[in-house]
Amino acid sequence: AVWASGRPGGAVACRDRSDWAAIRKEIVKLLEDDRYVDSAYAGATPGPLFVRLAWHSAGTFCAHTGTGGSGGATMRFEPELSWGANAGLQYAQELLEPIKKQFPGASYSDIWIYAAIVAIEEMGGPRIPFTPGRVDKAGGAECPVWQGETHKDGRLPSADMGAPEQTAAHLRYVFNRMGFDDREIVALSGAHGLGACHPQRSGYWGPWTRAPTTVSNEYYRELLENTWTMKTTHKGKPWPGPKQYEDPTGELMMLPSDLVLVQDPEFRKYAELYAKDSDAFLKDFGAAVGKLFDLGHRGSAAPPREKR
């Protein structure tokens, strides 16, 4: 197979090379459209939203059953569309709908993944290989089903399981199901450096970093170098939302599942590595995201890597 790059001029593994080059241009237009706004921070683009759409689509994969993954685009349907973790992602789908109509030969699932790949590169991240060929599924009856302890929330990780030990175990439970080890879990968590949370969607509020449209290791630096305390107020009023943490300015936030990356000794060593070594982060982030985006498309997940 010929691997595709999200950047112009990259080889594309499809019959019509010009189609994916044209699709890329349309995605870039969306990313550069200054009419897009975000209530949580200035200078927003839909890039972080596209990454979240692809992440939550591919993150349904189960290595044991071979179900879920980046193919199918089943988030178009209930019950997956209404999973709590997917709140707000219908908007991302709507933004990409005109591209699907303009290029009907491309599947929704390919467009979702490709939009994220282009967004990551446009936000300064690594090149991530893209291989088209995902096939869309027909309805909600084909949404992935999860029988585990978190089945009510779908197959995606929760932000808080009540205590650091339980939250760390939950992250491993969900990510191991996909085929990821501790290092990959921490690398993938770096995507939280993009975008922000919104009370009307997840219940949480705020960006994780001051560069929410740039792929960087800033997320890990904030985790380790900033001071995080329980959020109790918001804009002068009592905070009514779920448990989250804020920095001394009240402008940045972290979830309990973020802080567990420095509370758990095994996770922490990788967070410390990425905080001090941007190149290591970008390399591992690109590899982990590429693996994530291919789950359920080019075969089952590879076995977890040996610990380094």
Side-chain angles (χ1 to χ4, degrees):
V2 179
W3 287 88
S5 168
R7 294 190 183 277
V12 177
C14 58
R15 294 179 181 177
D16 186 352
R17 288 172 177 262
S18 63
D19 277 356
W20 286 101
I23 289 172
R24 187 186 197 284
K25 290 180 180 178
E26 295 304 314
I27 294 169
V28 171
K29 286 181 184 178
L30 289 175
L31 295 172
E32 295 178 346
D33 190 337
D34 58 12
R35 293 174 296 176
Y36 183 86
V37 295
D38 190 298
S39 60
Y41 63 98
T45 80
L49 191 63
F50 292 160
V51 173
R52 181 168 167 245
L53 176 65
W55 205 119
H56 285 213
S57 176
T60 60
F61 185 72
C62 177
H64 298 294
T65 63
T67 56
S70 65
T74 50
M75 200 194 302
R76 293 170 293 150
F77 311 116
E78 297 293 352
E80 189 175 347
L81 182 61
S82 292
W83 288 355
N86 290 337
L89 287 179
Q90 186 169 1
Y91 181 47
Q93 297 181 41
E94 291 169 356
L95 286 174
L96 293 171
E97 182 64 26
I99 295 178
K100 170 62 177 172
K101 290 181 177 178
Q102 186 176 351
F103 302 94
S107 67
Y108 280 105
S109 41
D110 270 345
I111 290 172
W112 291 1
I113 294 298
Y114 193 56
I117 287 174
V118 173
I120 287 170
E121 296 180 0
E122 289 293 308
M123 292 188 289
R127 294 189 180 195
I128 297 173
F130 172 68
T131 305
R134 294 167 183 80
V135 178
D136 293 334
K137 293 184 178 178
E142 296 184 271
C143 288
V145 177
W146 179 231
Q147 300 297 332
E149 61 185 24
T150 59
H151 67 93
K152 291 182 181 179
D153 298 316
R155 291 186 170 188
L156 299 166
S158 297
D160 184 16
M161 297 302 289
E165 296 80 7
Q166 284 81 1
T167 301
H170 169 71
L171 290 179
R172 291 187 172 99
Y173 178 65
V174 172
F175 282 96
N176 291 170
R177 185 207 71 221
M178 292 183 243
F180 292 109
D181 64 14
D182 281 2
R183 183 170 183 144
E184 291 167 317
I185 292 171
V186 179
L188 286 170
S189 297
H192 274 181
L194 301 172
C197 286
H198 306 80
Q200 68 273 28
R201 298 176 188 174
S202 64
Y204 299 98
W205 179 88
W208 287 265
T209 75
R210 298 188 186 281
T213 57
T214 301
V215 177
S216 74
N217 66 338
E218 191 68 13
Y219 166 75
Y220 306 99
R221 293 180 59 192
E222 292 288 359
L223 261 177
L224 288 157
E225 298 174 11
N226 212 331
T227 300
W228 300 100
T229 57
M230 193 85 72
K231 183 177 181 67
T232 58
T233 61
H234 185 64
K235 296 183 178 179
K237 297 180 179 180
W239 169 242
K243 183 171 73 174
Q244 69 173 80
Y245 297 85
E246 64 182 5
D247 77 335
T249 69
E251 297 171 356
L252 300 181
M253 63 86 71
M254 289 287 169
L255 303 172
S257 57
D258 296 310
L259 288 186
V260 81
L261 300 184
V262 296
Q263 293 165 335
D264 180 274
E266 289 301 309
F267 286 154
R268 185 183 180 101
K269 65 184 182 182
Y270 299 119
E272 289 176 342
L273 168 65
Y274 297 146
K276 68 182 181 182
D277 191 335
S278 176
D279 290 342
F281 164 65
L282 291 174
K283 179 181 177 181
D284 285 0
F285 179 74
V289 170
K291 177 178 170 179
L292 172 68
F293 287 174
D294 271 348
L295 293 180
H297 174 42
R298 293 193 299 116
S300 60
R305 298 179 302 184
E306 293 183 3
K307 292 183 178 180
R308 288 182 261 173

